[in-house]
């Protein structure tokens, strides 16, 4: 390849735009010096505010930070999974990808998510997010295995796209070379609306009655919303940093849509696919952390031996095992759960590993797994019907799949719990609990309060 002054790939780019007919993606990947993806994300606000995303996996093995959108994929309720996959495949079919690295999460990536229940009436606060909503970033940083890579994506329309290459190279270098940005003065919390908790507890009791009156209905997951109001617009970047610092053992995610930002710190993986290896998580059943090591261990044993929580967890394991066995050649499921501990809470946790067709898209697994009994109930459709009747709100992306997929059919999606939506000077925070026949409404309310702590702490509303 002839090297054009300024960049070794510029010659390939010039040839590409001279040959194409219509809009086509040109993508290339470079390895760069070690850099901080959160700084990359923050620096990108200069040009890309309202079109950024961030995703750190639970094990801190990989982090993605994306800026801008050369292509946005959005679909309504009827084709939200198939439509996204079809659009993504069509874009990749004609793309020119220059990626010399066999590194997970480099090259063209679509990042986004799906709403929990598109049949629920849309809440005004979620108006910026379609039932399926994905960005293909213009610039993206990937940190994997201690190495740093930058992907540049350009949507080209022909020879007139010529200046775009140099323009994006200059922008990329500015973002990589820059210093930390100064945050604006922090917004001051004025009030928190918790909703009528007595009404919510009555909804829990109604869910219990629905389960007891239907032999097929085993579990319903009910959620509630807390609204925090500030004296001025909230700075999402500050909240994201606090989430990362306070919840290092969780998935940390953020996605902007104009003046809205959905972000959180979730302990739960929905599915991860790399070539033929598939990983998923059964996470259901929870209890608080102890104030001392002795109390923490006592609570751990209480959780491991609690019938209500073990039954709730087993519902998830059964569903995940069944779906994995229907799509995988081999599935490994441990016989007993273990404990996953995060800052405020500990969960019953069963990791599941499968072997699948490496050419199968990760979206097929996302569609089959969502919603798991941990976030919807069992059976799913009956539980969703109860949720629609008893839950007077739109969950939006809360408790739904959020993550990324690449041009190699790989990717990872988390379950967007411990999360909130920031819209101007308001923060909408969400938490839920699994209702089974022996649930106690007061105990379930306390559980939601415990699950709200990470986001309340991140927005500056509480430090319990």
């Amino acid at each position: 390849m002839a090297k054009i002054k300024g960049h070794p790939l510029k010659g390939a780019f010039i040839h590409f735009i001279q040959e194409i007919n219509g809009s086509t993606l040109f993508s290339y990947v470079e390895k760069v010096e070690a850099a901080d993806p959160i700084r990359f994300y923050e620096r990108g606000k200069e040009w890309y505010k309202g079109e950024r995303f961030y995703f750190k996996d639970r094990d801190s093995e990989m982090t993605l930070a994306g800026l801008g959108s050369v292509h946005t994929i959005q679909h309504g309720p009827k084709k939200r999974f198939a439509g996204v996959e079809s659009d993504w495949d069509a874009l990749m079919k004609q793309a020119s990808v220059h990626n010399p690295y066999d590194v997970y999460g480099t090259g063209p990536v679509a990042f986004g998510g799906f709403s929990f229940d598109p049949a629920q009436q849309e809440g005004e606060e979620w108006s910026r997010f379609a039932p399926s909503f994905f960005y293909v970033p213009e610039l993206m940083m990937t940190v994997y295995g201690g190495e740093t890579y930058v992907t540049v994506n350009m949507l080209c329309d022909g020879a007139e796209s010529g200046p775009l290459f140099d323009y994006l190279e200059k922008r990329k270098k500015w973002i990589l070379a820059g210093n930390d940005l100064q945050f604006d003065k922090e917004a001051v919390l004025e009030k928190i609306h918790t909703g009528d908790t007595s009404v919510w507890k009555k909804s829990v009791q109604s869910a219990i009655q629905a389960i007891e009156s239907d032999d097929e209905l085993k579990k319903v997951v009910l959620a509630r919303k807390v609204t925090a109001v500030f004296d001025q617009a909230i700075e999402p970047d500050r909240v994201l940093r606090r989430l990362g610092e306070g919840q290092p053992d969780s998935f940390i995610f953020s996605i902007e849509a104009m003046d809205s930002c959905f972000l959180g710190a979730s302990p739960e993986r929905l599915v991860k696919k790399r070539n033929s290896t598939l990983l998923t998580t059964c996470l259901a059943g929870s209890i608080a952390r102890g104030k001392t090591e002795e109390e923490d261990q006592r609570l751990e044993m209480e959780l491991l031996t609690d019938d209500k929580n073990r039954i709730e967890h087993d519902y998830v394991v059964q569903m995940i095992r069944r779906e994995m066995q229907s799509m995988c050649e081999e599935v490994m499921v441990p016989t007993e759960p273990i404990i996953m501990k995060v800052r405020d809470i500990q969960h019953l946790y069963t990791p599941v590993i499968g072997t699948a067709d490496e050419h199968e898209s990760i979206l097929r697994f996302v569609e089959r797994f969502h919603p798991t009994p941990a976030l919807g109930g069992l059976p799913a459709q009956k539980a969703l019907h109860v949720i629609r009747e008893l839950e007077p709100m739109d969950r939006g992306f809360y408790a739904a799949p959020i993550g990324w997929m690449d041009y190699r059919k790989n990717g990872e999606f988390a379950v967007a719990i411990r999360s909130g939506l920031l819209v101007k000077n308001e923060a909408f925070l969400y938490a839920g609990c699994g209702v089974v026949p022996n649930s106690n409404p007061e105990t379930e309310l306390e559980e939601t309060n415990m699950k709200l702590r990470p986001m309340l702490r991140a927005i500056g509303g509480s430090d319990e």
Side-chain angles (χ1 to χ4, degrees):
M1 181 189 302
K3 181 174 180 179
I4 307 298
K5 184 179 180 181
H7 199 284
L9 276 174
K10 190 170 180 181
F13 173 75
I14 295 300
H15 177 75
F16 172 74
I17 62 175
Q18 289 172 344
E19 296 293 322
I20 63 174
N21 180 22
S23 296
T24 310
L25 184 72
F26 185 88
S27 177
Y28 62 93
V29 182
E30 296 177 313
K31 191 174 182 179
V32 300
E33 293 183 3
D36 182 1
I38 196 74
R39 277 184 58 186
F40 181 83
Y41 176 90
E42 291 167 352
R43 292 279 292 173
K45 185 172 69 171
E46 182 79 13
W47 287 288
Y48 299 108
K49 183 175 175 58
E51 285 187 335
R52 297 179 297 163
F53 69 78
Y54 182 88
F55 186 89
K56 181 198 77 69
D57 68 15
R58 194 182 64 209
D59 304 316
S60 298
E61 182 183 43
M62 190 198 73
T63 303
L64 297 177
L67 307 175
S69 179
V70 299
H71 184 69
T72 302
I73 301 173
Q74 301 184 71
H75 280 276
K78 293 184 179 180
K79 295 177 61 178
R80 60 187 192 138
F81 292 99
V84 170
E85 184 165 359
S86 177
D87 285 4
W88 180 238
D89 287 346
L91 182 65
M92 290 300 99
K93 187 176 182 180
Q94 298 186 46
S96 176
V97 180
H98 301 260
N99 184 4
Y101 308 102
D102 184 21
V103 175
Y104 194 53
T106 59
V109 159
F111 183 92
F114 301 90
S115 61
F116 178 82
D117 179 12
Q120 182 66 278
Q121 184 176 353
E122 183 183 77
E124 183 180 352
E125 65 269 27
W126 288 103
S127 61
R128 303 301 195 193
F129 293 88
S132 59
F133 184 85
F134 284 80
Y135 286 140
V136 182
E138 191 165 77
L139 300 175
M140 183 181 73
M141 177 177 286
T142 304
V143 177
Y144 183 83
E147 303 289 347
T148 306
Y149 306 84
V150 172
T151 299
V152 180
N153 296 314
M154 291 174 272
L155 198 64
C156 308
D157 294 319
E160 63 272 16
S161 300
L164 185 59
F165 193 101
D166 291 335
Y167 176 74
L168 285 182
E169 273 297 304
K170 290 178 181 178
R171 182 174 288 187
K172 179 193 74 176
K173 290 176 181 177
W174 185 92
I175 293 171
L176 287 173
N179 298 319
D180 289 338
L181 295 179
Q182 296 296 316
F183 290 133
D184 296 332
K185 181 181 177 182
E186 185 166 8
V188 176
L189 178 64
E190 293 186 332
K191 52 188 172 182
I192 295 180
H193 301 290
T194 61
D196 191 331
T197 56
S198 63
V199 171
W200 189 82
K201 285 189 288 185
K202 288 178 181 177
S203 295
V204 173
Q205 189 61 50
S206 295
I208 294 170
Q209 293 169 356
I211 295 168
E212 291 175 340
S213 63
D214 187 330
D215 291 338
E216 292 185 359
L217 188 60
K218 306 297 183 184
K219 176 184 175 182
V220 175
V221 180
L222 288 182
R224 53 188 286 253
K225 177 174 67 176
V226 169
T227 304
V229 181
F230 293 78
D231 67 337
Q232 63 183 36
I234 309 160
E235 177 54 70
D237 294 9
R238 179 183 278 113
V239 178
L240 182 62
R241 271 196 177 266
R242 284 177 176 162
L243 286 171
E245 293 165 359
Q247 306 287 326
D249 298 327
S250 295
F251 290 95
I252 307 298
F253 60 86
S254 172
I255 181 168
E256 294 182 326
M258 301 195 309
D259 59 0
S260 300
C261 181
F262 178 62
L263 71 179
S266 173
E268 184 170 358
R269 171 185 291 124
L270 182 65
V271 62
K272 176 180 181 179
K273 179 181 178 292
R274 183 168 188 184
N275 301 324
S276 60
T277 301
L278 207 69
L279 303 176
T280 187
T281 295
C282 306
L283 196 74
S286 55
I287 201 166
R289 296 297 305 270
K291 294 181 180 179
T292 65
E293 184 174 345
E294 183 180 28
E295 184 187 16
D296 202 54
Q297 291 178 349
R298 179 183 62 77
L299 289 169
E300 176 183 328
M301 290 306 301
E302 183 179 327
L303 178 59
L304 284 168
T305 56
D306 180 73
D307 288 342
K308 184 261 186 187
N309 280 292
R310 288 297 294 263
I311 291 170
E312 188 179 340
H313 184 80
D314 191 54
Y315 288 153
V316 181
V317 174
Q318 291 178 27
M319 177 268 193
I320 292 294
R321 178 191 283 115
R322 182 174 62 252
E323 295 296 342
M324 287 281 278
Q325 289 175 341
S326 71
M327 297 184 288
C328 295
E329 299 170 7
E330 184 181 358
V331 179
M332 292 179 286
V333 185
T335 57
E336 294 288 330
I338 57 177
I339 295 292
M340 176 191 291
K341 296 176 185 281
V342 291
R343 179 170 175 175
D344 299 292
I345 194 168
Q346 41 193 330
H347 297 278
L348 292 175
Y349 165 61
T350 300
V352 180
I353 303 174
T355 302
D357 182 351
E358 67 177 292
H359 302 294
E360 189 73 72
S361 169
I362 188 174
L363 286 188
R364 178 168 176 252
F365 300 95
V366 173
E367 183 176 13
R368 290 286 290 272
F369 292 158
H370 174 73
T372 73
L375 283 309
L378 190 73
Q381 290 306 311
K382 283 200 170 189
L384 285 174
H385 178 73
V386 176
I387 291 169
R388 289 166 191 155
E389 288 191 339
L390 298 179
E391 207 174 89
M393 68 174 187
D394 177 15
R395 292 190 185 186
F397 277 28
Y398 164 70
I402 189 163
W404 61 275
M405 58 182 178
D406 68 13
Y407 69 110
R408 293 165 169 158
K409 303 288 187 178
N410 295 320
E412 183 165 26
F413 282 78
V415 181
I417 53 176
R418 315 293 188 270
S419 56
L421 176 69
L422 310 182
V423 185
K424 299 177 182 177
N425 70 320
E426 292 184 298
F428 303 92
L429 314 181
Y430 304 86
C433 61
V435 180
V436 292
N438 57 345
S439 288
N440 178 285
E442 187 63 43
T443 302
E444 303 299 352
L445 179 64
E446 292 173 5
E447 181 175 322
T448 62
N449 288 332
M450 178 173 58
K451 291 175 177 177
L452 284 166
R453 286 178 188 168
M455 282 303 303
L456 281 170
R457 188 182 298 118
I459 64 172
S462 171
D463 194 25
E464 294 181 76

